Amino acid sequence: MMTDIREQLSMRPVTPEYLDQFNDLLGYVFQVTAKEVSESGYEEGELERAKRPVLEEADVFGWFHGDNLVSQLAIYPCKVNIHGRQYDMAGLTGVGTYPEYAGHGLMHDLISTALEHMRSRHQWISYLYPYSIPFYRKKGWEIMSDHLTFDVRDIQLPKQQNLPGHVERMDIDAEDVIRTYDRFALLNHGAMIRNQLNWDEYWRWENEEERTAAVFYDEDDEPQGFLLYWIANEVFHIKEMVYITQEARIALWNFVSAHFSMVEHVRGNIYKNEPLHFLLDDGDIKQTIKPYFMARIVDVEQFLRAYPFAEVGQPFHLIVSDPMAPWNVGTFGVSWDANGQVRVERDAHPGLPVRLDIQTLTTMLMSYRRPSYLRRIERLDADTSAVKNLEQVIPMEEPYFSDYF
């Protein structure tokens, strides 16, 4: 029966003329209702029009039964900062299959095709928001960032501190908001280097009309941070707080605290494992932490060639397994030449061996989890000297990622 169904299907790119079917499949799989669309600020037909540029700029593949789209995924062309170096990143999204076509390996084949396509586009890494962490782990993705939420009562807000500079309220798409985020992204490992498509997706399911930006300017009138917020039912909601300097962080919290008489709670998001309680005088606040995005190295050899190691280390070689990308299966030697430039060689065995799967390699090089921890939980097979070397050469900074697609 499985063979009979597959023989009736064909895989091909999903072009803009299938926009309605693309949206219908998304809506069915993720149960996006008309009410939710309306509450996000969209009028009838507006969301479909807004999604057209996505379909035009993304690479979308699908299985068709005749002219009916039954399974799909989309690859957004993105750029991210990985330890100070920009990588082309493939954002995987829009993944779904109608239930009557499930269980026939359609998504497995789509992901295999997608990985080959990413590799051909020199997208050496891919991010996604997981609707099922176990499913994507089986395909080679691993957790790379966290999402923290917090709830601070009005009496726990930090006391105002005198600082030079000032805060101004403005539209969320003001030039200084965009410019400040661009600077921030270049300084923060893991962050999206946003283009207009990325900004559109950032606000896709939120009502922009209810949001305001507050930008902090230092004494030289340079923007150094911002927060995106709204106030409703005596709650100050922070979508995101971005700061380049600690002075900006304090100033933005001064701004929040200035609403003491207006609100009973401040609730917000942090997109890095950096709990807020340590920064507050009264740290007895409610916080939650959950995994946010997953990542996957698409091409190990090319990713390593571009990777900004923290320092020159001892040679080592990685023995990698990968469930979906056969070009990643094998041994990759890593060493440094006399000028300190990294050298990556396929089927080479310099130094000590490190045996691991693509998921573990990804989360390690993204610095979400350190080599010593991965060895302790038996996700990484290497001796103490090899692990110590990895600890030295892999940068320490944890990823920051606040986008959604």
Side-chain angles (χ1 to χ4, degrees), residues 226-237:
F226 65 81
L227 61 86
L228 304 171
Y229 73 97
W230 76 102
I231 301 172
N233 301 319
E234 298 185 319
V235 176
F236 191 108
H237 296 271

Side-chain angles (χ1 to χ4, degrees), residues 49 67 86 93 98-99 102 164 175 180 201 205 216 240 252 273 275 280 301 322 340 345 362 369 384:
R49 291 192 296 274
D67 207 37
Q86 290 190 38
T93 186
Y98 281 120
E175 181 181 350
T180 304
E201 288 300 291
W205 296 107
F216 168 69
E240 184 173 13
L252 291 170
N273 192 354
L280 298 176
E301 183 175 358
D322 190 319
E345 297 175 280
T362 300
R369 290 292 180 262
T384 301

